[in-house]
Amino acid sequence: MKTRRRARRVTLETLYEYDIANHPPGEILQQRLEDQPMEKAGVDFAAHLVQGTIEHLEEMDMLISRYAPEWPLDQMAVIDRNILRIAIFEFLIDGETPVKVAINEAVELAKTYGSDSAPRFVNGVLGTLADKVSALREELMLQAVPE
């Protein structure tokens, strides 16, 4: 399996536990990496995703709530919610991953970890966001500017 794909899996497992049990994310990630050793590039990428996703939870949850209104965040499957967060962080906030790649990877994670309807749901929400990338980036930048 490719390094980045493995890093995303570890990231998802870490965020899932963080979301459910509220354990310190650094410790969870450390534990996961002991169980599933990875080369340095993968470790760095996973750490970057975990840290960035947690750092930007509020903005991302606001976007998820806006673009998936029929699924309140607290009623959304924890797996789906975190898959969306990782992808949104990757293509919208971090901007290092091409939109199509981030969405494909998210759909793959949804196929592996989510329910039968998860891949379609994840693809739908991310597709809607992808259509508005530049406007959303601008909006997030404006929010980040201190008063």
Side-chain angles (χ1 to χ4, degrees):
M1 192 186 305
K2 287 198 200 119
T3 303
R4 285 190 157 223
R5 180 163 287 175
R6 283 183 51 214
R8 285 183 186 95
R9 283 189 165 183
V10 169
T11 299
L12 179 61
E13 292 169 8
T14 301
L15 292 172
Y16 180 83
E17 185 175 329
Y18 172 72
D19 208 351
I20 287 189
N22 211 7
H23 294 152
E27 288 176 24
I28 304 168
L29 181 59
Q30 203 57 51
Q31 191 117 43
R32 293 276 173 268
L33 292 169
E34 282 170 22
D35 298 344
Q36 309 169 49
M38 226 182 295
E39 53 274 31
K40 182 166 174 13
V43 172
D44 292 347
F45 186 58
H48 175 68
L49 289 179
V50 168
Q51 185 183 356
T53 303
I54 290 171
E55 227 167 83
H56 296 279
L57 271 182
E58 258 178 58
E59 304 99 299
M60 293 189 296
D61 286 355
M62 175 200 74
L63 291 174
I64 294 168
S65 300
R66 189 190 309 162
Y67 291 100
E70 66 284 1
W71 289 102
L73 270 174
D74 57 349
Q75 291 174 21
M76 193 179 288
V78 177
I79 285 287
D80 299 354
R81 182 169 62 216
N82 283 294
I83 290 172
L84 290 173
R85 287 170 175 164
I86 294 167
I88 293 168
F89 173 73
E90 277 198 77
F91 77 76
L92 196 62
I93 293 172
D94 192 42
E96 292 296 307
T97 307
V99 175
K100 274 192 163 72
V101 173
I103 293 175
N104 286 342
E105 289 296 325
V107 170
E108 287 306 312
L109 283 172
K111 285 178 185 169
T112 304
Y113 292 97
S115 64
D116 290 346
S117 58
R120 268 191 43 229
F121 171 69
V122 164
N123 193 34
V125 175
L126 294 175
T128 305
L129 289 167
D131 292 340
K132 301 174 171 56
V133 165
S134 27
L136 292 172
R137 274 203 189 120
E138 214 166 284
E139 179 185 326
L140 292 173
M141 294 303 266
L142 290 172
Q143 286 176 357
V145 176
E147 296 294 311

